[in-house]
Amino acid sequence: MFWEKYLTCCEKENKSPTTVLTELGISTTMASKWRSGSVPRETTLRRIATYFNVTVEYLKGEEDQTPTIASETQPLDQENLRMVPLYESVAAGFSAYASADVQDYMPVYFNNPAEYEWTLCIKVKGDSMYPKIEDG
C-alpha cells in the first residue's frame, strides 16, 4: 500500500521515486525494499509526508487524501524553523565513529522550540541497523 501511495505522490510532483529519495537524503536502495512491501519507519514517513504535503496516514493507506502539489502548500511559520547542524557521515552498526566537524545545516521545523538546543543530524551509511536507522 505504501509504495502505491508513494508513486502517486511522485507522479503528482512529476518526479521519479529515486529523485525524491535523493532530494530527501534517503538511500535510493530503499525504493526496492518499499516496492517489495516494506514500509519506512515513522521518522522517514514523516519526512516523506512533509515533502509531499500529505499525512502519514495517507501514505500508510489509512486515510484517503488527494495529495497537493508542492507549489500549492502553505509556508511554515519561520519562527519555528531552525538550521540544525549536519555532521559527517557515520557507518551504521557497532564501533561507528563520527567526526565533530559540521558538514552542512538542515532546515528542521520544531513544534517545541526547546527541542532545538539538543537536536543534531548525522548522515548514516549502510543498512546494518535497518529498520531502526536507515541508510541516508
Side-chain angles (χ1 to χ4, degrees):
M1 180 62 70
F2 166 76
W3 180 247
E4 290 82 14
K5 298 290 187 179
Y6 179 73
L7 285 178
T8 300
C9 290
C10 290
E11 289 169 5
K12 295 264 185 203
E13 293 289 327
N14 200 24
K15 293 185 179 183
S16 74
T18 54
T19 298
V20 172
L21 290 174
T22 301
E23 289 178 3
L24 288 170
I26 299 171
S27 171
T28 56
T29 61
M30 295 310 295
S32 63
K33 290 182 181 184
W34 298 343
R35 192 177 301 116
S36 299
S38 178
V39 176
R41 64 187 196 141
E42 197 67 26
T43 56
T44 302
L45 281 169
R46 283 194 301 262
R47 286 174 58 199
I48 295 168
T50 300
Y51 180 90
F52 288 123
N53 193 33
V54 297
T55 64
V56 170
E57 290 76 19
Y58 169 79
L59 291 174
K60 290 179 176 179
E62 297 170 357
E63 91 178 13
D64 272 345
Q65 176 182 356
T66 304
T68 59
I69 299 172
S71 62
E72 298 173 359
T73 62
Q74 296 287 329
L76 294 174
D77 177 16
Q78 295 298 311
E79 186 176 317
N80 291 337
L81 189 63
R82 309 287 177 156
M83 296 303 284
V84 174
L86 173 65
Y87 290 91
E88 181 179 340
S89 297
V90 60
F94 296 105
S95 303
Y97 168 79
S99 170
D101 299 327
V102 175
Q103 300 297 310
D104 201 354
Y105 289 87
M106 292 187 64
V108 178
Y109 186 83
F110 291 90
N111 288 326
N112 178 357
E115 295 173 344
Y116 168 70
E117 183 179 346
W118 299 102
T119 303
L120 58 90
C121 298
I122 300 174
K123 189 156 187 165
V124 175
K125 291 181 185 174
D127 289 326
S128 65
M129 295 186 74
Y130 180 82
K132 285 254 187 220
I133 299 175
E134 296 178 16
D135 185 50

